[in-house]
Amino acid sequence: MVYDLVIEGKVVDLENIFEARVGIEDGIIKEIKKQGLGGERNINAKNSLIFPGFIDLHVHMRVPGWEHKEDFSTGTKAAAHGGVTTVVDMPNTIVPATNLERILEKKKLAVKKAVVDVLFYGGVSKENISELKKMSDEVIGYKVYVCESTGDMYLPYEYVEEIESEVSSSNKPVSFHCEDKPMIEERKKKLAGRNDPEVHCDIRPAESEVIAIEKVLSLTKSRVNICHVSTKRGLEIIGEHKQKNKLLTCEVAPIHLFFTRKDIAEKKNFLKMNPPLRSEQDRKSLLEGLMKDKIDFLASDHAPHTVEEKENDVWSAPSGVPELDTYGSFVTWLMKMGVSPQTIMKMCSYNPAKFLNLNKGLIEKGKVADITIVDPKCPTKITSENLYTKCKWSPFEGIELPGKVVYTIRNGEVIMENETVVS
Ligand code: DOR
Ligand code: ZN
Ligand code: ZN
């Protein structure tokens, strides 16, 4: 049998890494063998790691309304560049995705332009509770902001229990952005005289995340996911609650694993995000937690804003950083820090596929042939010219990461090679 595509390299499985050839036909993995498979196209990636396609559960594609920051074409090309074959888009656009019509509209736009699979969260506010069930078939879950961030989505704690019971019949997860609004409001007033970029970290301190995580977890009991955990204490509290709630999961974003608030002196508002950067102790604890399988997902929180917007003063510059183009090269940095390829595979492919209930996330016969091939030893300096994101900058600009994604394959088709999206 001559397959459409055969890839040779080191397959990363849940427990092991083994050298093999992977035969793909009609977008499906058909056979995995040590030797002897031939294809119409053969990719020899002997020195590289073959991962199931990376799945990023947290991106902001900005459509509709903020197309000057990103759109489904540029954003999904940035994903393919970073080895990401499925993304989940957040609802906090200028016209928020808070009812069925708006989700369907976004889907239509995505289908026309996206080069990777795009799935959607439905947004929650106190005004749209009656809409949540109606959209359940079209969304993978619901997103709640318990404080204000980019966009105007906000849900007071008092509504959290009602939301959980309203969506419980759908068995879809509810993901929370956790920072404490009362504390942030108070700090804003207190620190109004400061104009240095680090003031953002003091307005939204570690305690504000800790309070919000504690509050949300005390109010919920089922499929809850905590977005972009940034603090040591936050991760500990989640660990404690995981003992009682086996359905509880959490994400961490690359930026919180790599940078600390000290880096803001150099990169200014280009490192401004919510939750903000924290201390070295927090950063180290997240990395340690990741190595001990305490973090379920590596989610980019790709949140593009333009250079002009970021050059504003600290009070008016928007929060958020683009992180899709660099997702795969960042993963090679994690491996260099001692994270095993198997842990990467769990956080970036297997766990998110399970969370989304997809026939993906494993290099196994019968799975969809979404595959990310990573060369861990091919140092790559991040420069703005090589990015697909429309905003054309990266927090990692000027930094050399130890490796990169060499091929991204979606449904058995190569969509990125030689740093170039070919789809
Ligand atoms: O920094 C952030 N940016 N945090 C968020 O919660 C939203 C995001 C965005 O959409 O820009
Ligand atoms: Zn968030
Ligand atoms: Zn986000």
Side-chain angles (χ1 to χ4, degrees), residues 55 86 119 352-361 367:
I55 298 171
T86 301
L119 303 167
K354 250 175 64 182
F355 186 77
L356 299 172
N357 220 352
L358 300 175
N359 184 32
K360 300 181 180 184
K367 295 283 174 201

Side-chain angles (χ1 to χ4, degrees), residues 58 60 90 143 145 228 301:
H58 191 147
H60 299 265
M90 287 293 174
K143 175 66 184 282
Y145 292 82
H228 43 52
D301 197 4

Side-chain angles (χ1 to χ4, degrees), residues 227-239:
C227 295
H228 43 52
V229 181
S230 67
T231 58
K232 177 176 190 277
R233 186 67 197 130
L235 189 60
E236 282 167 5
I237 296 167
I238 292 166

